[in-house]
Amino acid sequence: MQKVILVLAFLIPGVLHAQAPVSKLGSGSLEERLNQLERVMDARNSAQMALLDQMSQMQDEVADLRGKTEEHAYQIEQILQRQREIYQEIDRRLAAQPQPQSPKVESTPVSTTSAYSSDVSENDAYEQAIQLVLRDKRYDAAVPAFESFIKNYPDSTYVPNAHYWLGQLLFAESKYDQAKVHFSTVVTDFPDSNKRGDCILKLGIIAQQQNQTEQARKLYNQVITEYADSTEAGLARKRLSNL
């Protein structure tokens, strides 16, 4: 009996702090009241565990939303980049068109450093491949179109862009090993390409997707070092912080 009284003496203050007044425990024998106290404590502990589980779930959801927000920002930047490419392409085409009042333009030699080829069939082939992506959204047909272009015009000034678009299309289909080949070609063989920074970033993302954390970190740092003020560098910094 003394042991029961001692147990009750220790339990009652804890229950009072747990906002379970003794007056609400009802009447009955001492053993029944002790059982009631135990149920109150169990209920309190269960409520605390449920609250902790909810907090953990909310933290996971916040982390997931943060990742999706980052990915959406990247996709928006990619769309804007594609729009800039279209405008640049239009400007190049307009600049390359001969003026009606200058018929001698057709006989003027085209500089080898020109960004627009004098080979009409080459221009048409590249434009058709680009339009499959940007206008028609026929990505499955764009892949063989770019592959044929590279095969038929290996010395074209459009080759680095063709490799870049192939990498993008294959990357979108999660064909990472194939995409790596084209991104790596731009990085290694075309150091002056304006797509090179994005290709390095994509190689880092692929490495991260394939659980090659150290390789991904190396590539992200390369983007930051070589293209410090670029959009790609900003994205690389965000991804580094999440590695």
Side-chain angles (χ1 to χ4, degrees):
M1 183 65 180
Q2 290 181 341
K3 291 182 180 180
V4 172
I5 294 174
L6 286 174
V7 171
L8 183 59
F10 281 105
L11 285 177
I12 289 176
V15 175
L16 288 173
H17 286 295
Q19 299 181 351
V22 176
S23 60
K24 294 184 179 181
L25 295 178
S27 59
S29 67
L30 183 59
E31 186 174 351
E32 290 174 346
R33 297 177 68 184
L34 282 173
N35 290 334
Q36 287 180 320
L37 284 173
E38 289 178 358
R39 287 194 294 272
V40 169
M41 295 297 292
D42 289 342
R44 178 192 177 205
N45 291 336
S46 297
Q48 289 179 337
M49 292 301 298
L51 182 60
L52 289 174
D53 289 341
Q54 291 178 356
M55 291 178 62
S56 177
Q57 184 178 355
M58 290 177 64
Q59 289 174 343
D60 292 340
E61 291 175 354
V62 169
D64 183 58
L65 287 172
R66 186 181 293 114
K68 289 181 179 178
T69 300
E70 178 185 338
E71 190 63 31
H72 289 164
Y74 178 71
Q75 291 173 355
I76 291 172
E77 177 57 32
Q78 288 293 96
I79 293 172
L80 293 175
Q81 177 63 28
R82 291 182 184 179
Q83 289 179 338
R84 289 193 290 268
E85 290 169 356
I86 293 172
Y87 296 144
Q88 292 169 359
E89 196 70 27
I90 292 172
D91 290 341
R92 284 197 292 268
R93 298 192 192 294
L94 291 175
Q97 288 179 354
Q99 299 298 323
Q101 69 272 22
S102 304
K104 293 182 179 180
V105 171
E106 294 181 359
S107 61
T108 302
V110 179
S111 171
T112 57
T113 60
S114 173
Y116 190 76
S117 172
S118 61
D119 187 331
V120 176
S121 61
E122 176 184 337
N123 293 331
D124 288 345
Y126 180 73
E127 182 176 1
Q128 288 174 8
I130 283 290
Q131 293 304 330
L132 286 171
V133 177
L134 301 179
R135 182 188 63 199
D136 302 334
K137 312 300 182 185
R138 294 180 56 197
Y139 307 126
D140 55 336
V143 171
F146 280 116
E147 290 174 340
S148 296
F149 179 84
I150 293 172
K151 180 179 179 180
N152 295 331
Y153 305 99
D155 299 322
S156 171
T157 56
Y158 301 135
V159 165
N161 282 10
H163 279 294
Y164 171 79
W165 282 110
L166 275 170
Q168 290 279 54
L169 292 165
L170 294 166
F171 178 87
E173 295 179 5
S174 299
K175 297 179 179 179
Y176 296 136
D177 289 335
Q178 297 178 50
K180 282 169 62 175
V181 173
H182 294 286
F183 288 139
S184 297
T185 297
V186 177
V187 173
T188 304
D189 298 346
F190 302 98
D192 297 328
S193 171
N194 61 358
K195 306 291 193 301
R196 186 172 180 272
D198 192 40
C199 287
I200 300 174
L201 177 67
K202 288 290 174 32
L203 288 171
I205 295 173
I206 291 173
Q208 187 175 358
Q209 291 287 342
Q210 296 179 334
N211 297 320
Q212 299 172 0
T213 306
E214 289 305 316
Q215 179 67 7
R217 182 176 287 108
K218 176 182 176 181
L219 290 163
Y220 292 149
N221 281 320
Q222 183 179 353
V223 176
I224 295 169
T225 300
E226 298 184 16
Y227 303 93
D229 298 325
S230 66
T231 300
E232 290 79 8
L235 293 169
R237 291 187 184 94
K238 289 181 181 179
R239 288 189 168 273
L240 269 176
S241 65
N242 292 327
L243 279 181

